[in-house]
Amino acid sequence: MSRVHSKEEYPYVTVKLNVNGKDYEASVRPYERLIDVLRYKLGLTSVKEGCGRGECGACVVIMDGKLVPSCLVLAVRANNKRIITLEGLAPEGKIHAIQKAFLDTLSVQCGFCFPGVILAVKWLLDKNPNPSDEEIKEILGGHLCRCGSYLRFIKAVKLAVKYLQEGKVYFDIKELRSVSSAR
Amino acid sequence: MKDIRFDVFVPSSLDDALQFMAKEGAEALPMAGGTDLIVLIRNGIVKPKKVLDLWPLREELAFIKREDGWIRIGALTTIEEISNSFLVKDPRYAGFLDMCKQFATPYLRTIATVGGNIGAAHPLSDVTILLLTLDCEVKLMSVNGERWVKLEGLFLDKRKLAKDPSELITEVRFREIPQNASTAFLKFDRRWGHAMGYIVVAACAQLEGDIVEEVRIAFDSMGRPFPERAKKTEEFLKGKRLSGDIIRDACSKVLPKEMKRISDYRASAEYRLDLSKVLLKRALLKIKSRVGGG
């Protein structure tokens, strides 16, 4: 980490991040958080600031394989780390099976909480490909959804497990319209 | 507008970190996981000029070891690491499993640390309350060397520790408890996920048959705003048969004599005291079944 020479009290620091497989360099103030970099500097708007104090789960990202609230991680701490946000879950033009399952079960209502919820589910399914209801509830216990889609989340996770077991990891965005109008 | 700006020092080694704390003193604050400190800073409750980021020291300070009859836990061990360690598989330390399951949320467990939980000195510090029942010792390091202190005497007030600002918490340790002992941890709140708890209780007891050989009980607060042990209730239980009557007497007669609860916007003192009685009873019964049932 190199410090930019300056007479300022809180000079900019350069941090290197690998976000969704791409390398970035960003100049940040030492007190800035990972969410400030991801959302406001890199424009990854799936990372949402709900409460800003680690209570709502809207800002979670996967950093080096761990689910972390990006509002409580300083940007300097994310230096040289690999970060996955919702945008990095599937290649361009496709969506991940978990996203598809959330659409199919109509889990997403206002859409503020689900980037965090989907990343938490991804993290859970990576460790445990066939979770029980209790395990799903535990992992989503810290994600607040003010539309109250909690029960649909459980349904969606079960559906995502089914898709993944059938080997369907990615779905083409073009096919989505026909699927949802068929419902 | 609150000033939430601060500078961050990223140490290259533990020695580097200790030098920094010796130089900066109270001007700087050490940060472990940051789940508490960042919130405090952003709310303007504490205003450090500088923050020492301890995370780079995790290679040295994140471990759980069994050594010469001691369990040693590094200060930067996360709650998630405890929940994946040998500790939670041992029926004697089942309290750690209870604690990990109820500690905040999965995404906070990946960054919240043991040392940070003690250093925050908040009454509702789950790890601290459980460690109190294990008669835990804390290692404090500074440039002048290291010292071990009892966790019990470490708290002075809410968010106030009996340690020099330049000292860092680097490790905790406790003696392994015998095979006929076990631990339990209970918390009560309206919801399961992300609960602070109206009250939190942890207990550790050694039972010879039904007789209580040794017992330690800790609550989030006994009257003062930091976790403390219920010494009189422990004394009462020692040497007695852990039967329904004795447990009832301990919870409803002895405990209320030494416990003072406060009323605030979260719960009233009466409700808290009532819950304390019930949860202590459940904790003791849980330990009884854990020791008996193996």
Side-chain angles (χ1 to χ4, degrees), chain A residues 3 10 30-31 33 53-55 57 66-67 69 72 74 77 138 142, chain B residues 5 7-8 32-33 38 42-43 53 55 80 101 105 107 109-110 194:
Chain A
R3 194 156 266 237
Y10 304 104
Y31 50 83
R33 302 155 302 163
R53 45 188 294 153
E55 283 177 11
K66 302 251 187 235
L67 198 65
L72 293 180
L74 291 180
R77 185 175 282 185
E138 191 194 342
Chain B
R5 297 174 303 171
D7 205 353
V8 178
I38 291 185
R42 291 186 68 84
N43 286 350
D53 187 7
W55 211 247
E80 199 213 359
K101 285 260 173 219
T105 54
Y107 57 81
R109 289 174 210 158
T110 58
H194 213 324

PDB file of all heavy atoms in Angstrom, chain A residues 3 10 30-31 33 53-55 57 66-67 69 72 74 77 138 142, chain B residues 5 7-8 32-33 38 42-43 53 55 80 101 105 107 109-110 194:
ATOM      1  N   ARG A   3       1.369   5.347   0.169  1.00  0.00           N
ATOM      2  CA  ARG A   3       0.716   6.535   0.688  1.00  0.00           C
ATOM      3  C   ARG A   3       1.083   7.711  -0.223  1.00  0.00           C
ATOM      4  O   ARG A   3       2.239   7.905  -0.550  1.00  0.00           O
ATOM      5  CB  ARG A   3       1.229   6.782   2.101  1.00  0.00           C
ATOM      6  CG  ARG A   3       0.397   7.762   2.858  1.00  0.00           C
ATOM      7  CD  ARG A   3       0.594   7.491   4.322  1.00  0.00           C
ATOM      8  NE  ARG A   3      -0.473   6.602   4.782  1.00  0.00           N
ATOM      9  CZ  ARG A   3      -1.276   6.938   5.777  1.00  0.00           C
ATOM     10  NH1 ARG A   3      -1.150   8.101   6.377  1.00  0.00           N
ATOM     11  NH2 ARG A   3      -2.208   6.117   6.165  1.00  0.00           N
ATOM     12  N   TYR A  10      -5.615  13.892   6.174  1.00  0.00           N
ATOM     13  CA  TYR A  10      -5.979  12.500   5.881  1.00  0.00           C
ATOM     14  C   TYR A  10      -5.721  12.228   4.405  1.00  0.00           C
ATOM     15  O   TYR A  10      -6.643  12.250   3.591  1.00  0.00           O
ATOM     16  CB  TYR A  10      -7.452  12.258   6.219  1.00  0.00           C
ATOM     17  CG  TYR A  10      -7.789  12.608   7.643  1.00  0.00           C
ATOM     18  CD1 TYR A  10      -8.478  13.773   7.947  1.00  0.00           C
ATOM     19  CD2 TYR A  10      -7.379  11.786   8.687  1.00  0.00           C
ATOM     20  CE1 TYR A  10      -8.768  14.110   9.249  1.00  0.00           C
ATOM     21  CE2 TYR A  10      -7.667  12.119   9.996  1.00  0.00           C
ATOM     22  CZ  TYR A  10      -8.370  13.277  10.273  1.00  0.00           C
ATOM     23  OH  TYR A  10      -8.653  13.608  11.573  1.00  0.00           O
ATOM     24  N   PRO A  30      -8.327   7.307   4.318  1.00  0.00           N
ATOM     25  CA  PRO A  30      -8.158   6.182   5.250  1.00  0.00           C
ATOM     26  C   PRO A  30      -9.430   5.796   5.982  1.00  0.00           C
ATOM     27  O   PRO A  30      -9.595   4.650   6.386  1.00  0.00           O
ATOM     28  CB  PRO A  30      -7.090   6.676   6.228  1.00  0.00           C
ATOM     29  CG  PRO A  30      -6.924   8.123   5.970  1.00  0.00           C
ATOM     30  CD  PRO A  30      -7.370   8.388   4.578  1.00  0.00           C
ATOM     31  N   TYR A  31     -10.342   6.760   6.171  1.00  0.00           N
ATOM     32  CA  TYR A  31     -11.555   6.453   6.941  1.00  0.00           C
ATOM     33  C   TYR A  31     -12.687   5.945   6.064  1.00  0.00           C
ATOM     34  O   TYR A  31     -13.766   5.666   6.560  1.00  0.00           O
ATOM     35  CB  TYR A  31     -12.022   7.692   7.717  1.00  0.00           C
ATOM     36  CG  TYR A  31     -12.114   8.939   6.886  1.00  0.00           C
ATOM     37  CD1 TYR A  31     -13.224   9.197   6.109  1.00  0.00           C
ATOM     38  CD2 TYR A  31     -11.053   9.843   6.867  1.00  0.00           C
ATOM     39  CE1 TYR A  31     -13.301  10.332   5.325  1.00  0.00           C
ATOM     40  CE2 TYR A  31     -11.111  10.984   6.078  1.00  0.00           C
ATOM     41  CZ  TYR A  31     -12.244  11.220   5.307  1.00  0.00           C
ATOM     42  OH  TYR A  31     -12.304  12.334   4.528  1.00  0.00           O
ATOM     43  N   ARG A  33     -14.931   3.430   3.770  1.00  0.00           N
ATOM     44  CA  ARG A  33     -15.207   2.013   3.947  1.00  0.00           C
ATOM     45  C   ARG A  33     -15.279   1.309   2.595  1.00  0.00           C
ATOM     46  O   ARG A  33     -15.349   1.968   1.558  1.00  0.00           O
ATOM     47  CB  ARG A  33     -16.528   1.832   4.691  1.00  0.00           C
ATOM     48  CG  ARG A  33     -16.575   2.505   6.036  1.00  0.00           C
ATOM     49  CD  ARG A  33     -17.996   2.815   6.430  1.00  0.00           C
ATOM     50  NE  ARG A  33     -18.659   3.669   5.457  1.00  0.00           N
ATOM     51  CZ  ARG A  33     -19.972   3.828   5.371  1.00  0.00           C
ATOM     52  NH1 ARG A  33     -20.760   3.192   6.200  1.00  0.00           N
ATOM     53  NH2 ARG A  33     -20.496   4.615   4.460  1.00  0.00           N
ATOM     54  N   ARG A  53     -24.522   0.116   9.931  1.00  0.00           N
ATOM     55  CA  ARG A  53     -23.959  -0.343  11.200  1.00  0.00           C
ATOM     56  C   ARG A  53     -24.043  -1.857  11.365  1.00  0.00           C
ATOM     57  O   ARG A  53     -24.073  -2.373  12.470  1.00  0.00           O
ATOM     58  CB  ARG A  53     -24.586   0.376  12.377  1.00  0.00           C
ATOM     59  CG  ARG A  53     -26.105   0.491  12.274  1.00  0.00           C
ATOM     60  CD  ARG A  53     -26.655   1.373  13.340  1.00  0.00           C
ATOM     61  NE  ARG A  53     -26.460   0.788  14.648  1.00  0.00           N
ATOM     62  CZ  ARG A  53     -26.362   1.483  15.774  1.00  0.00           C
ATOM     63  NH1 ARG A  53     -26.448   2.776  15.751  1.00  0.00           N
ATOM     64  NH2 ARG A  53     -26.201   0.890  16.925  1.00  0.00           N
ATOM     65  N   GLY A  54     -24.124  -2.558  10.252  1.00  0.00           N
ATOM     66  CA  GLY A  54     -24.041  -4.014  10.314  1.00  0.00           C
ATOM     67  C   GLY A  54     -25.264  -4.685  10.868  1.00  0.00           C
ATOM     68  O   GLY A  54     -25.172  -5.767  11.435  1.00  0.00           O
ATOM     69  N   GLU A  55     -26.440  -4.048  10.730  1.00  0.00           N
ATOM     70  CA  GLU A  55     -27.634  -4.671  11.288  1.00  0.00           C
ATOM     71  C   GLU A  55     -28.589  -5.192  10.228  1.00  0.00           C
ATOM     72  O   GLU A  55     -29.449  -6.010  10.519  1.00  0.00           O
ATOM     73  CB  GLU A  55     -28.368  -3.665  12.183  1.00  0.00           C
ATOM     74  CG  GLU A  55     -27.697  -3.515  13.520  1.00  0.00           C
ATOM     75  CD  GLU A  55     -28.374  -2.475  14.389  1.00  0.00           C
ATOM     76  OE1 GLU A  55     -29.466  -2.029  14.052  1.00  0.00           O
ATOM     77  OE2 GLU A  55     -27.772  -2.121  15.410  1.00  0.00           O
ATOM     78  N   GLY A  57     -27.802  -6.090   6.684  1.00  0.00           N
ATOM     79  CA  GLY A  57     -27.323  -7.075   5.724  1.00  0.00           C
ATOM     80  C   GLY A  57     -27.461  -6.671   4.266  1.00  0.00           C
ATOM     81  O   GLY A  57     -27.217  -7.479   3.382  1.00  0.00           O
ATOM     82  N   LYS A  66     -15.283 -14.964   2.458  1.00  0.00           N
ATOM     83  CA  LYS A  66     -16.059 -14.741   3.693  1.00  0.00           C
ATOM     84  C   LYS A  66     -17.124 -13.687   3.430  1.00  0.00           C
ATOM     85  O   LYS A  66     -16.867 -12.698   2.746  1.00  0.00           O
ATOM     86  CB  LYS A  66     -15.145 -14.216   4.810  1.00  0.00           C
ATOM     87  CG  LYS A  66     -14.000 -15.133   5.128  1.00  0.00           C
ATOM     88  CD  LYS A  66     -14.205 -15.786   6.460  1.00  0.00           C
ATOM     89  CE  LYS A  66     -12.994 -16.577   6.869  1.00  0.00           C
ATOM     90  NZ  LYS A  66     -13.291 -17.960   7.171  1.00  0.00           N
ATOM     91  N   LEU A  67     -18.268 -13.921   4.030  1.00  0.00           N
ATOM     92  CA  LEU A  67     -19.348 -12.952   3.922  1.00  0.00           C
ATOM     93  C   LEU A  67     -19.059 -11.810   4.900  1.00  0.00           C
ATOM     94  O   LEU A  67     -18.949 -12.061   6.091  1.00  0.00           O
ATOM     95  CB  LEU A  67     -20.645 -13.653   4.290  1.00  0.00           C
ATOM     96  CG  LEU A  67     -21.959 -13.028   3.874  1.00  0.00           C
ATOM     97  CD1 LEU A  67     -22.073 -13.017   2.367  1.00  0.00           C
ATOM     98  CD2 LEU A  67     -23.109 -13.803   4.478  1.00  0.00           C
ATOM     99  N   PRO A  69     -19.891  -7.521   6.041  1.00  0.00           N
ATOM    100  CA  PRO A  69     -20.670  -6.311   5.792  1.00  0.00           C
ATOM    101  C   PRO A  69     -19.715  -5.225   5.292  1.00  0.00           C
ATOM    102  O   PRO A  69     -18.797  -4.842   6.001  1.00  0.00           O
ATOM    103  CB  PRO A  69     -21.234  -5.965   7.168  1.00  0.00           C
ATOM    104  CG  PRO A  69     -20.312  -6.599   8.142  1.00  0.00           C
ATOM    105  CD  PRO A  69     -19.600  -7.734   7.467  1.00  0.00           C
ATOM    106  N   LEU A  72     -18.791  -2.045   7.382  1.00  0.00           N
ATOM    107  CA  LEU A  72     -17.971  -2.102   8.596  1.00  0.00           C
ATOM    108  C   LEU A  72     -16.533  -2.519   8.301  1.00  0.00           C
ATOM    109  O   LEU A  72     -15.766  -2.798   9.210  1.00  0.00           O
ATOM    110  CB  LEU A  72     -18.579  -3.066   9.628  1.00  0.00           C
ATOM    111  CG  LEU A  72     -19.916  -2.656  10.232  1.00  0.00           C
ATOM    112  CD1 LEU A  72     -20.389  -3.689  11.225  1.00  0.00           C
ATOM    113  CD2 LEU A  72     -19.806  -1.306  10.910  1.00  0.00           C
ATOM    114  N   LEU A  74     -13.064  -1.297   6.582  1.00  0.00           N
ATOM    115  CA  LEU A  74     -12.388  -0.142   5.989  1.00  0.00           C
ATOM    116  C   LEU A  74     -11.808  -0.533   4.638  1.00  0.00           C
ATOM    117  O   LEU A  74     -11.382  -1.674   4.432  1.00  0.00           O
ATOM    118  CB  LEU A  74     -11.265   0.333   6.907  1.00  0.00           C
ATOM    119  CG  LEU A  74     -11.688   0.973   8.225  1.00  0.00           C
ATOM    120  CD1 LEU A  74     -10.456   1.391   9.010  1.00  0.00           C
ATOM    121  CD2 LEU A  74     -12.591   2.171   7.999  1.00  0.00           C
ATOM    122  N   ARG A  77      -8.487  -2.128   4.562  1.00  0.00           N
ATOM    123  CA  ARG A  77      -8.421  -3.520   4.981  1.00  0.00           C
ATOM    124  C   ARG A  77      -8.702  -4.464   3.814  1.00  0.00           C
ATOM    125  O   ARG A  77      -8.303  -5.616   3.832  1.00  0.00           O
ATOM    126  CB  ARG A  77      -9.441  -3.761   6.098  1.00  0.00           C
ATOM    127  CG  ARG A  77      -9.374  -5.119   6.670  1.00  0.00           C
ATOM    128  CD  ARG A  77     -10.289  -5.277   7.828  1.00  0.00           C
ATOM    129  NE  ARG A  77      -9.738  -4.664   9.024  1.00  0.00           N
ATOM    130  CZ  ARG A  77     -10.307  -4.745  10.213  1.00  0.00           C
ATOM    131  NH1 ARG A  77     -11.436  -5.391  10.350  1.00  0.00           N
ATOM    132  NH2 ARG A  77      -9.762  -4.182  11.256  1.00  0.00           N
ATOM    133  N   GLU A 138     -31.012 -19.444   9.712  1.00  0.00           N
ATOM    134  CA  GLU A 138     -29.886 -18.909  10.471  1.00  0.00           C
ATOM    135  C   GLU A 138     -29.085 -17.937   9.608  1.00  0.00           C
ATOM    136  O   GLU A 138     -28.736 -16.847  10.044  1.00  0.00           O
ATOM    137  CB  GLU A 138     -28.987 -20.042  10.973  1.00  0.00           C
ATOM    138  CG  GLU A 138     -27.974 -19.532  11.975  1.00  0.00           C
ATOM    139  CD  GLU A 138     -26.846 -20.506  12.262  1.00  0.00           C
ATOM    140  OE1 GLU A 138     -26.987 -21.697  11.970  1.00  0.00           O
ATOM    141  OE2 GLU A 138     -25.810 -20.038  12.764  1.00  0.00           O
ATOM    142  N   GLY A 142     -29.924 -12.260   9.707  1.00  0.00           N
ATOM    143  CA  GLY A 142     -29.443 -10.885   9.841  1.00  0.00           C
ATOM    144  C   GLY A 142     -29.799 -10.005   8.667  1.00  0.00           C
ATOM    145  O   GLY A 142     -29.336  -8.883   8.573  1.00  0.00           O
TER     146      GLY A 142
ATOM    147  N   ARG B   5     -13.759  11.586  10.517  1.00  0.00           N
ATOM    148  CA  ARG B   5     -12.509  11.282   9.839  1.00  0.00           C
ATOM    149  C   ARG B   5     -11.454  10.778  10.817  1.00  0.00           C
ATOM    150  O   ARG B   5     -11.412  11.206  11.979  1.00  0.00           O
ATOM    151  CB  ARG B   5     -11.995  12.530   9.113  1.00  0.00           C
ATOM    152  CG  ARG B   5     -12.954  12.982   8.024  1.00  0.00           C
ATOM    153  CD  ARG B   5     -12.510  14.273   7.412  1.00  0.00           C
ATOM    154  NE  ARG B   5     -12.382  15.322   8.415  1.00  0.00           N
ATOM    155  CZ  ARG B   5     -11.832  16.508   8.172  1.00  0.00           C
ATOM    156  NH1 ARG B   5     -11.358  16.792   6.985  1.00  0.00           N
ATOM    157  NH2 ARG B   5     -11.748  17.400   9.124  1.00  0.00           N
ATOM    158  N   ASP B   7      -7.272   8.756  10.743  1.00  0.00           N
ATOM    159  CA  ASP B   7      -6.204   8.155   9.951  1.00  0.00           C
ATOM    160  C   ASP B   7      -6.065   6.708  10.399  1.00  0.00           C
ATOM    161  O   ASP B   7      -6.394   6.361  11.533  1.00  0.00           O
ATOM    162  CB  ASP B   7      -4.894   8.914  10.182  1.00  0.00           C
ATOM    163  CG  ASP B   7      -3.951   8.753   8.999  1.00  0.00           C
ATOM    164  OD1 ASP B   7      -4.283   7.943   8.099  1.00  0.00           O
ATOM    165  OD2 ASP B   7      -2.923   9.417   8.967  1.00  0.00           O
ATOM    166  N   VAL B   8      -5.580   5.863   9.510  1.00  0.00           N
ATOM    167  CA  VAL B   8      -5.438   4.450   9.843  1.00  0.00           C
ATOM    168  C   VAL B   8      -3.975   4.066   9.755  1.00  0.00           C
ATOM    169  O   VAL B   8      -3.285   4.437   8.802  1.00  0.00           O
ATOM    170  CB  VAL B   8      -6.259   3.571   8.872  1.00  0.00           C
ATOM    171  CG1 VAL B   8      -6.062   2.101   9.195  1.00  0.00           C
ATOM    172  CG2 VAL B   8      -7.726   3.918   8.964  1.00  0.00           C
ATOM    173  N   ALA B  32     -10.023  -4.168  16.149  1.00  0.00           N
ATOM    174  CA  ALA B  32      -9.898  -5.577  15.757  1.00  0.00           C
ATOM    175  C   ALA B  32     -10.806  -5.817  14.559  1.00  0.00           C
ATOM    176  O   ALA B  32     -10.442  -5.552  13.422  1.00  0.00           O
ATOM    177  CB  ALA B  32     -10.236  -6.475  16.935  1.00  0.00           C
ATOM    178  N   GLY B  33     -12.043  -6.278  14.805  1.00  0.00           N
ATOM    179  CA  GLY B  33     -12.953  -6.496  13.679  1.00  0.00           C
ATOM    180  C   GLY B  33     -13.546  -5.197  13.159  1.00  0.00           C
ATOM    181  O   GLY B  33     -13.795  -5.032  11.977  1.00  0.00           O
ATOM    182  N   ILE B  38     -16.267   1.075  14.409  1.00  0.00           N
ATOM    183  CA  ILE B  38     -16.661   1.897  13.258  1.00  0.00           C
ATOM    184  C   ILE B  38     -18.031   2.520  13.509  1.00  0.00           C
ATOM    185  O   ILE B  38     -18.257   3.684  13.191  1.00  0.00           O
ATOM    186  CB  ILE B  38     -16.631   1.063  11.955  1.00  0.00           C
ATOM    187  CG1 ILE B  38     -15.177   0.725  11.628  1.00  0.00           C
ATOM    188  CG2 ILE B  38     -17.262   1.828  10.801  1.00  0.00           C
ATOM    189  CD1 ILE B  38     -14.960   0.010  10.332  1.00  0.00           C
ATOM    190  N   ARG B  42     -18.628   6.526  13.673  1.00  0.00           N
ATOM    191  CA  ARG B  42     -19.560   7.147  12.721  1.00  0.00           C
ATOM    192  C   ARG B  42     -20.744   7.799  13.428  1.00  0.00           C
ATOM    193  O   ARG B  42     -21.388   8.673  12.873  1.00  0.00           O
ATOM    194  CB  ARG B  42     -20.033   6.120  11.694  1.00  0.00           C
ATOM    195  CG  ARG B  42     -18.903   5.708  10.754  1.00  0.00           C
ATOM    196  CD  ARG B  42     -19.401   4.808   9.663  1.00  0.00           C
ATOM    197  NE  ARG B  42     -20.267   5.493   8.748  1.00  0.00           N
ATOM    198  CZ  ARG B  42     -19.860   6.217   7.713  1.00  0.00           C
ATOM    199  NH1 ARG B  42     -18.588   6.357   7.469  1.00  0.00           N
ATOM    200  NH2 ARG B  42     -20.734   6.806   6.926  1.00  0.00           N
ATOM    201  N   ASN B  43     -21.029   7.358  14.649  1.00  0.00           N
ATOM    202  CA  ASN B  43     -22.085   8.027  15.420  1.00  0.00           C
ATOM    203  C   ASN B  43     -21.536   9.176  16.249  1.00  0.00           C
ATOM    204  O   ASN B  43     -22.280   9.806  17.007  1.00  0.00           O
ATOM    205  CB  ASN B  43     -22.780   7.019  16.348  1.00  0.00           C
ATOM    206  CG  ASN B  43     -23.696   6.091  15.586  1.00  0.00           C
ATOM    207  OD1 ASN B  43     -23.961   6.309  14.409  1.00  0.00           O
ATOM    208  ND2 ASN B  43     -24.166   5.053  16.238  1.00  0.00           N
ATOM    209  N   ASP B  53      -5.174  -0.529  12.780  1.00  0.00           N
ATOM    210  CA  ASP B  53      -5.880  -1.685  12.225  1.00  0.00           C
ATOM    211  C   ASP B  53      -5.107  -2.953  12.560  1.00  0.00           C
ATOM    212  O   ASP B  53      -4.008  -3.170  12.070  1.00  0.00           O
ATOM    213  CB  ASP B  53      -6.007  -1.537  10.701  1.00  0.00           C
ATOM    214  CG  ASP B  53      -6.870  -2.625  10.103  1.00  0.00           C
ATOM    215  OD1 ASP B  53      -7.473  -3.393  10.872  1.00  0.00           O
ATOM    216  OD2 ASP B  53      -6.933  -2.722   8.866  1.00  0.00           O
ATOM    217  N   TRP B  55      -5.972  -6.018  11.908  1.00  0.00           N
ATOM    218  CA  TRP B  55      -6.284  -7.159  11.042  1.00  0.00           C
ATOM    219  C   TRP B  55      -5.047  -7.784  10.396  1.00  0.00           C
ATOM    220  O   TRP B  55      -4.971  -9.009  10.267  1.00  0.00           O
ATOM    221  CB  TRP B  55      -7.295  -6.735   9.981  1.00  0.00           C
ATOM    222  CG  TRP B  55      -8.197  -7.825   9.555  1.00  0.00           C
ATOM    223  CD1 TRP B  55      -8.221  -8.412   8.324  1.00  0.00           C
ATOM    224  CD2 TRP B  55      -9.193  -8.508  10.334  1.00  0.00           C
ATOM    225  NE1 TRP B  55      -9.187  -9.401   8.286  1.00  0.00           N
ATOM    226  CE2 TRP B  55      -9.790  -9.471   9.499  1.00  0.00           C
ATOM    227  CE3 TRP B  55      -9.635  -8.392  11.651  1.00  0.00           C
ATOM    228  CZ2 TRP B  55     -10.803 -10.314   9.933  1.00  0.00           C
ATOM    229  CZ3 TRP B  55     -10.642  -9.235  12.078  1.00  0.00           C
ATOM    230  CH2 TRP B  55     -11.209 -10.174  11.226  1.00  0.00           C
ATOM    231  N   GLU B  80     -16.555 -16.974  13.814  1.00  0.00           N
ATOM    232  CA  GLU B  80     -16.736 -18.047  12.842  1.00  0.00           C
ATOM    233  C   GLU B  80     -15.649 -19.108  12.995  1.00  0.00           C
ATOM    234  O   GLU B  80     -15.922 -20.300  12.876  1.00  0.00           O
ATOM    235  CB  GLU B  80     -16.689 -17.450  11.435  1.00  0.00           C
ATOM    236  CG  GLU B  80     -17.301 -18.354  10.396  1.00  0.00           C
ATOM    237  CD  GLU B  80     -16.622 -18.249   9.056  1.00  0.00           C
ATOM    238  OE1 GLU B  80     -15.672 -17.455   8.924  1.00  0.00           O
ATOM    239  OE2 GLU B  80     -17.016 -18.978   8.150  1.00  0.00           O
ATOM    240  N   LYS B 101     -23.822 -19.766  17.848  1.00  0.00           N
ATOM    241  CA  LYS B 101     -25.112 -19.795  17.148  1.00  0.00           C
ATOM    242  C   LYS B 101     -25.909 -18.527  17.374  1.00  0.00           C
ATOM    243  O   LYS B 101     -26.733 -18.150  16.544  1.00  0.00           O
ATOM    244  CB  LYS B 101     -25.950 -20.978  17.644  1.00  0.00           C
ATOM    245  CG  LYS B 101     -25.470 -22.300  17.121  1.00  0.00           C
ATOM    246  CD  LYS B 101     -26.325 -22.754  15.947  1.00  0.00           C
ATOM    247  CE  LYS B 101     -25.750 -23.983  15.306  1.00  0.00           C
ATOM    248  NZ  LYS B 101     -25.862 -23.968  13.859  1.00  0.00           N
ATOM    249  N   THR B 105     -24.945 -12.039  13.683  1.00  0.00           N
ATOM    250  CA  THR B 105     -25.382 -12.691  12.442  1.00  0.00           C
ATOM    251  C   THR B 105     -24.176 -13.335  11.765  1.00  0.00           C
ATOM    252  O   THR B 105     -23.043 -12.973  12.065  1.00  0.00           O
ATOM    253  CB  THR B 105     -25.958 -11.647  11.483  1.00  0.00           C
ATOM    254  OG1 THR B 105     -24.983 -10.625  11.326  1.00  0.00           O
ATOM    255  CG2 THR B 105     -27.226 -11.056  12.006  1.00  0.00           C
ATOM    256  N   TYR B 107     -22.766 -12.868   8.983  1.00  0.00           N
ATOM    257  CA  TYR B 107     -21.796 -11.974   8.336  1.00  0.00           C
ATOM    258  C   TYR B 107     -21.008 -11.126   9.328  1.00  0.00           C
ATOM    259  O   TYR B 107     -19.973 -10.583   8.983  1.00  0.00           O
ATOM    260  CB  TYR B 107     -22.451 -11.108   7.249  1.00  0.00           C
ATOM    261  CG  TYR B 107     -23.603 -10.250   7.704  1.00  0.00           C
ATOM    262  CD1 TYR B 107     -23.396  -9.045   8.343  1.00  0.00           C
ATOM    263  CD2 TYR B 107     -24.914 -10.653   7.467  1.00  0.00           C
ATOM    264  CE1 TYR B 107     -24.452  -8.254   8.751  1.00  0.00           C
ATOM    265  CE2 TYR B 107     -25.984  -9.864   7.867  1.00  0.00           C
ATOM    266  CZ  TYR B 107     -25.738  -8.666   8.515  1.00  0.00           C
ATOM    267  OH  TYR B 107     -26.791  -7.894   8.912  1.00  0.00           O
ATOM    268  N   ARG B 109     -20.122 -12.539  12.289  1.00  0.00           N
ATOM    269  CA  ARG B 109     -19.244 -13.538  12.927  1.00  0.00           C
ATOM    270  C   ARG B 109     -17.939 -13.697  12.155  1.00  0.00           C
ATOM    271  O   ARG B 109     -16.949 -14.158  12.705  1.00  0.00           O
ATOM    272  CB  ARG B 109     -19.945 -14.902  12.976  1.00  0.00           C
ATOM    273  CG  ARG B 109     -21.088 -14.945  13.961  1.00  0.00           C
ATOM    274  CD  ARG B 109     -21.848 -16.255  13.874  1.00  0.00           C
ATOM    275  NE  ARG B 109     -23.227 -16.031  14.244  1.00  0.00           N
ATOM    276  CZ  ARG B 109     -24.246 -16.807  13.904  1.00  0.00           C
ATOM    277  NH1 ARG B 109     -24.037 -17.886  13.161  1.00  0.00           N
ATOM    278  NH2 ARG B 109     -25.456 -16.518  14.283  1.00  0.00           N
ATOM    279  N   THR B 110     -17.929 -13.348  10.872  1.00  0.00           N
ATOM    280  CA  THR B 110     -16.696 -13.507  10.095  1.00  0.00           C
ATOM    281  C   THR B 110     -15.685 -12.421  10.401  1.00  0.00           C
ATOM    282  O   THR B 110     -14.522 -12.564  10.042  1.00  0.00           O
ATOM    283  CB  THR B 110     -16.977 -13.486   8.581  1.00  0.00           C
ATOM    284  OG1 THR B 110     -17.615 -12.248   8.256  1.00  0.00           O
ATOM    285  CG2 THR B 110     -17.849 -14.638   8.150  1.00  0.00           C
ATOM    286  N   HIS B 194     -29.562 -11.813  15.000  1.00  0.00           N
ATOM    287  CA  HIS B 194     -29.059 -10.504  15.368  1.00  0.00           C
ATOM    288  C   HIS B 194     -29.613  -9.975  16.688  1.00  0.00           C
ATOM    289  O   HIS B 194     -30.033  -8.830  16.798  1.00  0.00           O
ATOM    290  CB  HIS B 194     -29.376  -9.500  14.267  1.00  0.00           C
ATOM    291  CG  HIS B 194     -28.300  -8.460  14.156  1.00  0.00           C
ATOM    292  ND1 HIS B 194     -27.657  -7.979  15.241  1.00  0.00           N
ATOM    293  CD2 HIS B 194     -27.741  -7.849  13.096  1.00  0.00           C
ATOM    294  CE1 HIS B 194     -26.754  -7.101  14.859  1.00  0.00           C
ATOM    295  NE2 HIS B 194     -26.781  -7.015  13.558  1.00  0.00           N
TER     296      HIS B 194
END
